[in-house]
Amino acid sequence: MKNLTTFLYNLYGSENNAIKLCAYLYGLYAVFLLIECIDFLAMLHTPDPGTHPTYDIVHVAFFIIELIVYAVLTLGLVMLLNTENKKPPTVITLITLMTAGRAFLDYYLYWYSEPEVHFVPYIYKTSNDFSDFVRAVFLPAQLIAGLFCIWLWTGYSKRKKAENVILNTC
């Protein structure tokens, strides 16, 4: 356990860098969703000759909502990053809630049910050749980065408590 914590700390350099990585991953995925929304809207507006889209503007609205959620999460992480005197329990709670929410969304949107019985209109198709690659990389990376961030901040919290005990005994 201690070796893993040391490895993660050396990898990230500090607890704040772990938050920064999470913000970058959420922000880049939000930009990707923006590109997807534009691609899907363009395909609705001017479909290829001889083809017609299998979705409508209501389906694209779900992408737009997901885009808004990611933009808000990114801004929340940036605000958390720029907060002075962060308390470890607060950071751990916030990152845990964000990571758990993200895991639930991944499960619900991608693995929960077959497209025929899916509550959310299932248009997670590829708008371009890059779509599948981005989802395969960013969705697990966000969860892994969130777990690493929780792990580092938990270790930081334990170190702070140990330092306070040492300072109070002196």
Side-chain angles (χ1 to χ4, degrees), residues 164-170:
N164 288 339
V165 168
I166 291 172
L167 290 175
N168 290 336
T169 58
C170 292

Side-chain angles (χ1 to χ4, degrees), residues 80 83-92 153 156:
L80 179 63
T83 302
E84 295 294 322
N85 301 322
K86 293 182 264 306
K87 294 185 176 152
T90 305
V91 174
I92 292 167
W153 276 90
Y156 176 73

Side-chain angles (χ1 to χ4, degrees), residues 12-145:
Y12 287 112
S14 74
E15 291 80 14
N16 283 335
N17 285 346
I19 296 174
K20 223 182 269 185
L21 176 66
C22 289
Y24 287 145
L25 288 172
Y26 280 96
L28 288 172
Y29 194 69
V31 169
F32 164 73
L33 285 173
L34 176 65
I35 293 169
E36 287 253 302
C37 287
I38 292 169
D39 280 349
F40 279 123
L41 289 172
M43 283 190 264
L44 271 179
H45 185 263
T46 53
D48 292 333
T51 63
H52 64 282
T54 58
Y55 55 91
D56 60 12
I57 192 69
V58 175
H59 296 109
V60 179
F62 281 93
F63 273 100
I64 294 170
I65 291 169
E66 192 177 8
L67 168 64
I68 292 169
V69 167
Y70 274 103
V72 167
L73 289 175
T74 302
L75 291 174
L77 285 168
V78 168
M79 288 189 307
L80 179 63
L81 183 63
N82 291 320
T83 302
E84 295 294 322
N85 301 322
K86 293 182 264 306
K87 294 185 176 152
T90 305
V91 174
I92 292 167
T93 302
L94 288 173
I95 299 295
T96 301
L97 288 174
M98 290 174 74
T99 304
R102 185 62 199 130
F104 172 76
L105 279 175
D106 282 353
Y107 171 74
Y108 184 74
L109 292 175
Y110 299 101
W111 293 295
Y112 176 65
S113 64
E114 295 297 319
E116 293 82 27
V117 295
H118 210 277
F119 174 72
V120 176
Y122 196 85
I123 66 162
Y124 288 95
K125 302 176 181 180
T126 56
S127 66
N128 56 49
D129 295 333
F130 197 54
S131 297
D132 290 334
F133 172 75
V134 170
R135 283 196 177 85
V137 170
F138 275 92
L139 298 180
Q142 291 166 351
L143 297 175
I144 292 168

